[in-house]
Amino acid sequence: QLVESGGGLVKAGGSLTLSCAASGFTFSDYRMNWVRQAPGKGLEWVASILISSTYTYYAQSLKGRFTISRDNSKNSLFLQMNSLRAEDTAVYYCARVPAHGDYYYSMDVWGKGTTVTVSS
Amino acid sequence: QSVLTQPPSVSGAPGQRVTISCTGSRSNIGAGYHVHWYQQLPGTAPRLLIYGSSNRPSGVPDRFSGSKSGTSASLAITGLQTEDEADYYCQSYDSSLSGFVFGTGTQVTVL
C-alpha cells in the first residue's frame, strides 16, 4: 500500500514537499516513481529514484525544480517541489516500479494521490 | 507532452469488442521496452491492467488482452461491459529521454 500526503494550496513561486508512505512490501527492493495528473489531463511521469538513491531521473519539463528522495529506513518516498507554477497544479501519485520479468518498468502499485494547487 | 499516441476516444455497445492503439517510436516501444496498460476509473488512481504487453495481473478479467508489434501496441476489450467505462493509458520506457512515457489516453464509452 502507498499513501501520499503533503498536498495543499500554495502560491506561485512557493515550495512544497510531498511524502509517500509504503507498507506491505519491502520498500528497499523497489525503484519508485512520482506521476502527476493535471485537472482533466492525462498522466505525466515526474521523477524516479533507484533503490539505493544512487540515481534519480526527472521529466525534462521540470527543469531542475523538483527533487525526489527516499528513506528506506522509514519506508518513505519524497518529492521536494520548488518554484511552483500554476501548471504544476495536479494530483500527484507515487507508484512502485518492478524491475523483473514482464513487469519490468511497469507501475504495479499506486497510491490514491495527493492534490497540489498552485495559485497565481 | 506525451510521447505515445492513442486515439482520444473509442465506444461500443455492451458485448462488443473495442481496440485501443498506442503508437510509439524506435526509442521506446520499438527499442524493445515493455508496454503496459492502465485503467483509470473516474475519480480514482490508475490501476495496472496489462503488463509486459500481453499479461494480466491477477484479478483482471480475461476480456482484456494486449499485443505489441514493432513500434506500436494495442489493447482489446472483448465483451464490453458498462463497468469498463474508464480512461485507458499505455506506458513504456524511452531510452532517449531516460524516463517513463505515457500515452495520451483513451476514453472508453459504453453506448
Side-chain angles (χ1 to χ4, degrees):
Chain A
Q1 182 184 11
L2 297 171
V3 179
E4 302 92 340
S5 61
L9 177 62
V10 61
K11 291 185 178 180
S15 299
L16 205 59
T17 298
L18 306 182
S19 300
C20 171
S23 62
F25 65 96
T26 304
F27 180 70
S28 57
D29 282 349
Y30 289 89
R31 178 171 183 162
M32 296 294 295
N33 279 356
W34 284 100
V35 175
R36 69 182 181 182
Q37 186 170 35
K41 302 297 184 181
L43 300 173
E44 179 187 20
W45 169 71
V46 171
S48 186
I49 187 167
L50 297 190
I51 292 171
S52 63
S53 305
T54 307
Y55 293 100
T56 57
Y57 302 89
Y58 299 91
Q60 294 176 351
S61 61
L62 297 179
K63 297 183 180 178
R65 297 184 297 120
F66 290 10
T67 302
I68 187 173
S69 61
R70 67 191 295 164
D71 184 341
N72 288 340
S73 68
K74 296 183 178 179
N75 294 333
S76 295
L77 176 72
F78 307 99
L79 185 67
Q80 170 72 40
M81 303 184 295
N82 298 325
S83 303
L84 283 163
R85 306 166 180 170
E87 54 263 37
D88 296 318
T89 295
V91 175
Y92 285 74
Y93 298 100
C94 61
R96 188 178 81 169
V97 183
H100 56 85
D102 289 338
Y103 277 101
Y104 193 85
Y105 281 5
S106 67
M107 299 177 215
D108 67 341
V109 179
W110 294 67
K112 293 185 177 181
T114 186
T115 301
V116 172
T117 304
V118 183
S119 64
S120 54
Chain B
Q1 66 278 17
S2 297
V3 173
L4 307 179
T5 302
Q6 300 177 230
S9 64
V10 299
S11 62
Q16 283 191 329
R17 180 179 187 269
V18 296
T19 62
I20 301 170
S21 61
C22 174
T23 303
S25 66
R26 287 183 293 178
S27 62
N28 42 69
I29 299 175
Y33 291 104
H34 284 312
V35 177
H36 314 289
W37 291 89
Y38 302 86
Q39 178 193 59
Q40 187 175 33
L41 298 170
T44 70
R47 161 203 183 195
L48 182 64
L49 191 69
I50 296 288
Y51 67 94
S53 303
S54 59
N55 304 287
R56 289 184 305 277
S58 61
V60 173
D62 60 6
R63 63 178 184 273
F64 293 96
S65 62
S67 63
K68 171 188 163 184
S69 178
T71 58
S72 296
S74 64
L75 173 71
I77 311 175
T78 57
L80 195 62
Q81 299 187 8
T82 55
E83 58 260 39
D84 298 333
E85 277 205 345
D87 293 326
Y88 294 81
Y89 296 89
C90 59
Q91 177 255 312
S92 187
Y93 186 85
D94 193 286
S95 58
S96 65
L97 299 174
S98 295
F100 297 77
V101 290
F102 284 98
T104 47
T106 300
Q107 182 177 56
V108 170
T109 302
V110 182
L111 302 172

Tab-separated table of all heavy atoms in Angstrom, chain B residues 1-22:
chain	number	residue	atom	x	y	z
B	1	GLN	N	4.846	16.766	-22.766
B	1	GLN	CA	3.965	16.222	-23.802
B	1	GLN	C	4.142	14.709	-23.894
B	1	GLN	O	5.201	14.165	-23.592
B	1	GLN	CB	4.229	16.868	-25.152
B	1	GLN	CG	5.579	16.574	-25.743
B	1	GLN	CD	6.681	17.467	-25.194
B	1	GLN	OE1	6.508	18.100	-24.159
B	1	GLN	NE2	7.811	17.507	-25.857
B	2	SER	N	3.045	14.020	-24.276
B	2	SER	CA	3.064	12.577	-24.352
B	2	SER	C	3.833	12.131	-25.584
B	2	SER	O	3.730	12.706	-26.659
B	2	SER	CB	1.636	12.047	-24.397
B	2	SER	OG	0.946	12.369	-23.209
B	3	VAL	N	4.597	11.055	-25.393
B	3	VAL	CA	5.412	10.510	-26.462
B	3	VAL	C	4.674	9.399	-27.192
B	3	VAL	O	4.956	9.116	-28.350
B	3	VAL	CB	6.744	10.008	-25.874
B	3	VAL	CG1	7.563	9.280	-26.904
B	3	VAL	CG2	7.525	11.168	-25.287
B	4	LEU	N	3.745	8.773	-26.518
B	4	LEU	CA	2.967	7.683	-27.085
B	4	LEU	C	1.579	8.204	-27.472
B	4	LEU	O	0.934	8.881	-26.683
B	4	LEU	CB	2.842	6.538	-26.081
B	4	LEU	CG	4.164	6.020	-25.493
B	4	LEU	CD1	3.889	4.905	-24.482
B	4	LEU	CD2	5.100	5.538	-26.604
B	5	THR	N	1.127	7.862	-28.668
B	5	THR	CA	-0.119	8.410	-29.207
B	5	THR	C	-1.246	7.385	-29.157
B	5	THR	O	-1.079	6.249	-29.635
B	5	THR	CB	0.076	8.887	-30.647
B	5	THR	OG1	1.117	9.869	-30.680
B	5	THR	CG2	-1.208	9.510	-31.188
B	6	GLN	N	-2.368	7.793	-28.591
B	6	GLN	CA	-3.571	6.964	-28.534
B	6	GLN	C	-4.747	7.747	-29.122
B	6	GLN	O	-4.737	8.977	-29.118
B	6	GLN	CB	-3.918	6.614	-27.074
B	6	GLN	CG	-2.868	5.860	-26.315
B	6	GLN	CD	-3.297	5.641	-24.852
B	6	GLN	OE1	-2.539	5.919	-23.930
B	6	GLN	NE2	-4.503	5.136	-24.652
B	7	PRO	N	-5.785	7.051	-29.578
B	7	PRO	CA	-6.992	7.773	-30.001
B	7	PRO	C	-7.665	8.382	-28.779
B	7	PRO	O	-7.654	7.772	-27.708
B	7	PRO	CB	-7.867	6.677	-30.616
B	7	PRO	CG	-7.372	5.406	-29.986
B	7	PRO	CD	-5.914	5.603	-29.748
B	8	PRO	N	-8.237	9.582	-28.912
B	8	PRO	CA	-8.858	10.233	-27.746
B	8	PRO	C	-10.027	9.446	-27.168
B	8	PRO	O	-10.235	9.469	-25.951
B	8	PRO	CB	-9.337	11.576	-28.308
B	8	PRO	CG	-8.522	11.796	-29.519
B	8	PRO	CD	-8.250	10.435	-30.085
B	9	SER	N	-10.783	8.776	-28.017
B	9	SER	CA	-11.950	8.060	-27.523
B	9	SER	C	-12.304	6.894	-28.430
B	9	SER	O	-12.010	6.911	-29.638
B	9	SER	CB	-13.150	9.013	-27.422
B	9	SER	OG	-13.506	9.487	-28.699
B	10	VAL	N	-12.901	5.888	-27.831
B	10	VAL	CA	-13.499	4.765	-28.559
B	10	VAL	C	-14.797	4.430	-27.848
B	10	VAL	O	-14.949	4.703	-26.645
B	10	VAL	CB	-12.592	3.517	-28.632
B	10	VAL	CG1	-11.295	3.811	-29.360
B	10	VAL	CG2	-12.332	2.969	-27.258
B	11	SER	N	-15.720	3.845	-28.579
B	11	SER	CA	-17.002	3.481	-27.968
B	11	SER	C	-17.518	2.197	-28.582
B	11	SER	O	-17.142	1.807	-29.692
B	11	SER	CB	-18.014	4.617	-28.147
B	11	SER	OG	-18.262	4.857	-29.515
B	12	GLY	N	-18.411	1.563	-27.848
B	12	GLY	CA	-19.020	0.342	-28.330
B	12	GLY	C	-20.210	-0.033	-27.480
B	12	GLY	O	-20.344	0.428	-26.332
B	13	ALA	N	-21.053	-0.858	-28.039
B	13	ALA	CA	-22.222	-1.337	-27.308
B	13	ALA	C	-21.803	-2.463	-26.367
B	13	ALA	O	-20.768	-3.100	-26.571
B	13	ALA	CB	-23.284	-1.828	-28.283
B	14	PRO	N	-22.600	-2.701	-25.349
B	14	PRO	CA	-22.289	-3.838	-24.459
B	14	PRO	C	-22.147	-5.123	-25.242
B	14	PRO	O	-22.939	-5.412	-26.145
B	14	PRO	CB	-23.496	-3.879	-23.517
B	14	PRO	CG	-23.990	-2.480	-23.488
B	14	PRO	CD	-23.777	-1.951	-24.885
B	15	GLY	N	-21.084	-5.877	-24.922
B	15	GLY	CA	-20.849	-7.137	-25.599
B	15	GLY	C	-19.947	-7.032	-26.817
B	15	GLY	O	-19.434	-8.049	-27.296
B	16	GLN	N	-19.739	-5.823	-27.315
B	16	GLN	CA	-18.899	-5.654	-28.491
B	16	GLN	C	-17.423	-5.672	-28.123
B	16	GLN	O	-17.044	-5.670	-26.953
B	16	GLN	CB	-19.246	-4.329	-29.196
B	16	GLN	CG	-20.513	-4.369	-30.017
B	16	GLN	CD	-20.661	-3.135	-30.900
B	16	GLN	OE1	-20.193	-2.039	-30.540
B	16	GLN	NE2	-21.314	-3.294	-32.034
B	17	ARG	N	-16.585	-5.661	-29.158
B	17	ARG	CA	-15.136	-5.623	-28.998
B	17	ARG	C	-14.623	-4.265	-29.452
B	17	ARG	O	-15.030	-3.766	-30.502
B	17	ARG	CB	-14.484	-6.724	-29.829
B	17	ARG	CG	-12.962	-6.778	-29.747
B	17	ARG	CD	-12.437	-7.937	-30.590
B	17	ARG	NE	-11.002	-8.154	-30.439
B	17	ARG	CZ	-10.068	-7.601	-31.197
B	17	ARG	NH1	-10.415	-6.758	-32.166
B	17	ARG	NH2	-8.785	-7.855	-30.997
B	18	VAL	N	-13.770	-3.681	-28.610
B	18	VAL	CA	-13.128	-2.427	-28.985
B	18	VAL	C	-11.618	-2.588	-28.832
B	18	VAL	O	-11.148	-3.400	-28.037
B	18	VAL	CB	-13.609	-1.239	-28.120
B	18	VAL	CG1	-15.104	-0.983	-28.331
B	18	VAL	CG2	-13.302	-1.451	-26.658
B	19	THR	N	-10.880	-1.824	-29.625
B	19	THR	CA	-9.425	-1.851	-29.520
B	19	THR	C	-8.892	-0.425	-29.391
B	19	THR	O	-9.470	0.519	-29.934
B	19	THR	CB	-8.772	-2.530	-30.732
B	19	THR	OG1	-9.090	-1.796	-31.912
B	19	THR	CG2	-9.244	-3.965	-30.869
B	20	ILE	N	-7.797	-0.308	-28.665
B	20	ILE	CA	-7.120	0.979	-28.464
B	20	ILE	C	-5.682	0.821	-28.928
B	20	ILE	O	-4.976	-0.086	-28.472
B	20	ILE	CB	-7.147	1.386	-26.978
B	20	ILE	CG1	-8.583	1.504	-26.478
B	20	ILE	CG2	-6.399	2.707	-26.780
B	20	ILE	CD1	-8.695	1.667	-24.964
B	21	SER	N	-5.269	1.686	-29.814
B	21	SER	CA	-3.899	1.630	-30.317
B	21	SER	C	-2.985	2.547	-29.522
B	21	SER	O	-3.436	3.518	-28.892
B	21	SER	CB	-3.863	2.019	-31.799
B	21	SER	OG	-4.343	3.353	-31.955
B	22	CYS	N	-1.710	2.226	-29.554
B	22	CYS	CA	-0.685	3.008	-28.847
B	22	CYS	C	0.537	3.037	-29.771
B	22	CYS	O	1.184	2.004	-29.968
B	22	CYS	CB	-0.359	2.357	-27.518
B	22	CYS	SG	1.017	3.093	-26.600
